[in-house]
Amino acid sequence: AVGDKVEENISNFFLKLGHFCSFRPKTTIGIALVISIICAGGMAKLNTENRPEKLWVPQNTQAEVEQDNYLSFFPPSSRFEQVIATAKETGRDVLTKDSLIDAMKMHESIETGISKPTLDDGSEDTSSDETYTLTDLCTPSGGSCATPDYTNPDPICFCLVVSVLKMWNYDLATLEADTNIMGTLNNYGSREDLEGVLGAAQFDPNSGELASAEAISISYFLEDRSSVKGGNTVDPVNEAWEEQVFLKTVKDGDQFPYLDLSFLSTRSFGDEFGGEITGDLVFVNISYLVAFIFLGATLGSKFCGRGSRWAMSLSALVLIILATVAGFGVASLCGLLYGPVHSVLPFVLLGIGVDDAFVIANAFDREREGVPRESEDDEKLVKRGSRALARAGASITVTSLTDL
């Protein structure tokens, strides 16, 4: 049968390979190291991919064509930053004067905060004298203030900012001087307008006026300045402001005692992606340690000495690491990009590699054929290694091709 012929050819190949590896172990180790190092050199071209349209939209499909068509007419024009402010006590009304003053103070910190350009590694560019504020970077728009002063205009009134704080022209003194907070808020617009910027808003059933709310939404829009670099969408100017001003302000919630803050920034996805990669590295180290202990304890004697295979277990893990790095290197040389889902690959490859180590070790034990280890010379060990790899190699090859 064709299947038997294929299996026979694979077994014959691994029989010869096993003989070479068993007869020349040092040469085999050297060749493996050289090949791994050469392949790993491709890691120098490793590029990550963070563009949602490339990560989550099926490639070469009608969906991709339609999305590209849409973006050709309506390209992204703004970056989105949002803060959700709630009262310290869950479910309490946030439309108190103290809470609104805290929200206005937070806004003023965001509006007046200054950022500086950053280098490619994210560190501050100390050689540059350029600085940016919200009004330098925001998406231009009118109508952000309820009663703008056109004779002495405030720049924030011409930025796209969406919040009930517009009723006080984003000015703390005006808010503090207001003696009828709810009356001012009810002039914001229709009920639908208020529900768009207030969470869990409650209205008087008789008058229809706003009575309370549990959350305030403040949304900022920055003019898009992004470009694609190495598969990543980068916007260093806006990203620097988001980190140095927006996120720094909203993360320091202790300075706003009446509010609990939740927030979202355009750079949040990239930050979380980077954090997940760093966190995965810890788990990868732990998983390799657990695999080493498990391999050493189950492949041979649990204690070092006669019959133990702790050194072989360590060698197996080293080979898995070399294969993983070499695989990433070859993929990078082929132009493949690294995305969020690829962070699971080290764990998958570890599982496959450990399984293959058990298969080879079991085949090596079965090929002993009842002959005591003490009676085996080097020639018999070479033959046993050849037969073991012929048996295990075919199985590993077929299952690996199936996984592929």
Side-chain angles (χ1 to χ4, degrees):
V2 176
D4 294 334
K5 190 66 175 177
V6 171
E7 184 176 358
E8 180 183 352
N9 290 333
I10 294 176
S11 297
N12 289 335
F13 170 77
F14 280 103
L15 180 69
K16 296 176 182 178
L17 181 63
H19 182 274
F20 178 84
C21 295
S22 301
F23 190 70
R24 293 183 173 84
K26 293 181 180 179
T27 303
T28 301
I29 293 173
I31 292 174
L33 288 173
V34 170
I35 293 176
S36 299
I37 293 173
I38 292 174
C39 293
M43 292 285 287
K45 292 189 175 182
L46 177 67
N47 288 316
T48 58
E49 178 64 84
N50 70 354
R51 290 172 291 175
E53 66 272 17
K54 298 297 182 183
L55 289 173
W56 316 121
V57 178
Q59 301 298 291
N60 302 317
T61 62
Q62 184 62 30
E64 182 186 26
V65 173
E66 292 177 356
Q67 182 178 38
D68 289 343
N69 188 44
Y70 172 82
L71 292 176
S72 67
F73 291 106
F74 305 101
S77 60
S78 297
R79 294 173 67 91
F80 181 66
E81 328 292 327
Q82 185 177 48
V83 187
I84 304 295
T86 58
K88 284 290 186 182
E89 296 183 35
T90 304
R92 295 294 297 272
D93 183 18
V94 74
L95 299 181
T96 65
K97 192 163 187 176
D98 288 333
S99 296
L100 288 168
I101 287 175
D102 264 4
M104 189 68 81
K105 288 179 178 178
M106 178 197 67
H107 163 77
E108 288 195 343
S109 295
I110 293 173
E111 179 185 346
T112 59
I114 297 174
S115 67
K116 297 192 67 175
T118 57
L119 302 173
D120 290 341
D121 60 0
S123 61
E124 186 176 302
D125 185 2
T126 55
S127 64
S128 175
D129 294 329
E130 293 181 333
T131 58
Y132 301 96
T133 65
L134 173 62
T135 53
D136 296 324
L137 305 176
C138 67
T139 299
S141 176
S144 292
C145 294
T147 55
D149 183 358
Y150 292 103
T151 59
N152 186 24
D154 186 343
I156 193 63
C157 294
F158 301 95
C159 287
L160 183 53
V161 182
V162 181
S163 168
V164 292
L165 298 180
K166 68 176 284 185
M167 300 308 298
W168 298 279
N169 296 330
Y170 296 100
D171 181 67
L172 179 59
T174 303
L175 172 59
E176 290 175 331
D178 193 342
T179 58
N180 185 10
I181 296 292
M182 297 308 296
T184 302
L185 286 171
N186 275 290
N187 290 324
Y188 181 84
S190 66
R191 175 170 179 158
E192 289 74 18
D193 292 333
L194 286 167
E195 289 176 335
V197 291
L198 298 174
Q202 300 295 320
F203 296 84
D204 186 285
N206 297 318
S207 65
E209 292 187 342
L210 176 67
S212 67
E214 294 182 17
I216 299 172
S217 168
I218 307 175
S219 301
Y220 301 92
F221 295 82
L222 305 183
E223 190 171 7
D224 183 69
R225 296 171 174 81
S226 63
S227 61
V228 177
K229 183 178 181 181
N232 290 307
T233 300
V234 295
D235 192 343
V237 173
N238 284 330
E239 287 179 359
W241 181 88
E242 289 169 349
E243 179 182 15
Q244 298 170 24
V245 178
F246 179 78
L247 292 177
K248 181 180 179 180
T249 300
V250 296
K251 286 180 178 179
D252 188 13
D254 292 340
Q255 60 180 317
F256 312 115
Y258 294 97
L259 298 176
D260 271 336
L261 303 178
S262 302
F263 51 87
L264 173 69
S265 174
T266 300
R267 65 171 293 151
S268 295
F269 176 81
D271 290 343
E272 290 300 315
F273 176 35
E276 285 299 313
I277 292 178
T278 304
D280 287 343
L281 293 177
V282 176
F283 289 114
V284 168
N285 294 331
I286 294 174
S287 65
Y288 272 85
L289 177 61
V290 171
F292 170 65
I293 296 174
F294 179 73
L295 276 171
T298 54
L299 284 178
S301 173
K302 295 181 179 64
F303 305 100
C304 294
R306 186 182 180 87
S308 72
R309 286 176 171 169
W310 288 98
M312 192 195 80
S313 301
L314 179 60
S315 300
L317 290 180
V318 171
L319 286 174
I320 294 170
I321 294 172
L322 289 174
T324 300
V325 175
F328 275 103
V330 172
S332 299
L333 282 174
C334 293
L336 299 179
L337 300 174
Y338 184 90
V341 295
H342 297 131
S343 58
V344 303
L345 282 178
F347 302 100
V348 174
L349 296 175
L350 174 62
I352 294 174
V354 168
D355 178 68
D356 292 345
F358 276 109
V359 172
I360 295 173
N362 179 261
F364 187 73
D365 290 338
R366 293 176 64 182
E367 289 297 331
R368 178 175 292 176
E369 298 178 345
V371 179
R373 172 68 184 88
E374 295 81 359
S375 64
E376 288 184 303
D377 55 18
D378 289 347
E379 183 178 351
K380 290 182 179 180
L381 281 175
V382 169
K383 290 181 179 179
R384 180 148 71 103
S386 302
R387 295 195 303 270
L389 197 58
R391 177 196 292 266
S395 173
I396 292 173
T397 300
V398 172
T399 55
S400 297
L401 290 175
T402 303
D403 292 336
L404 180 63

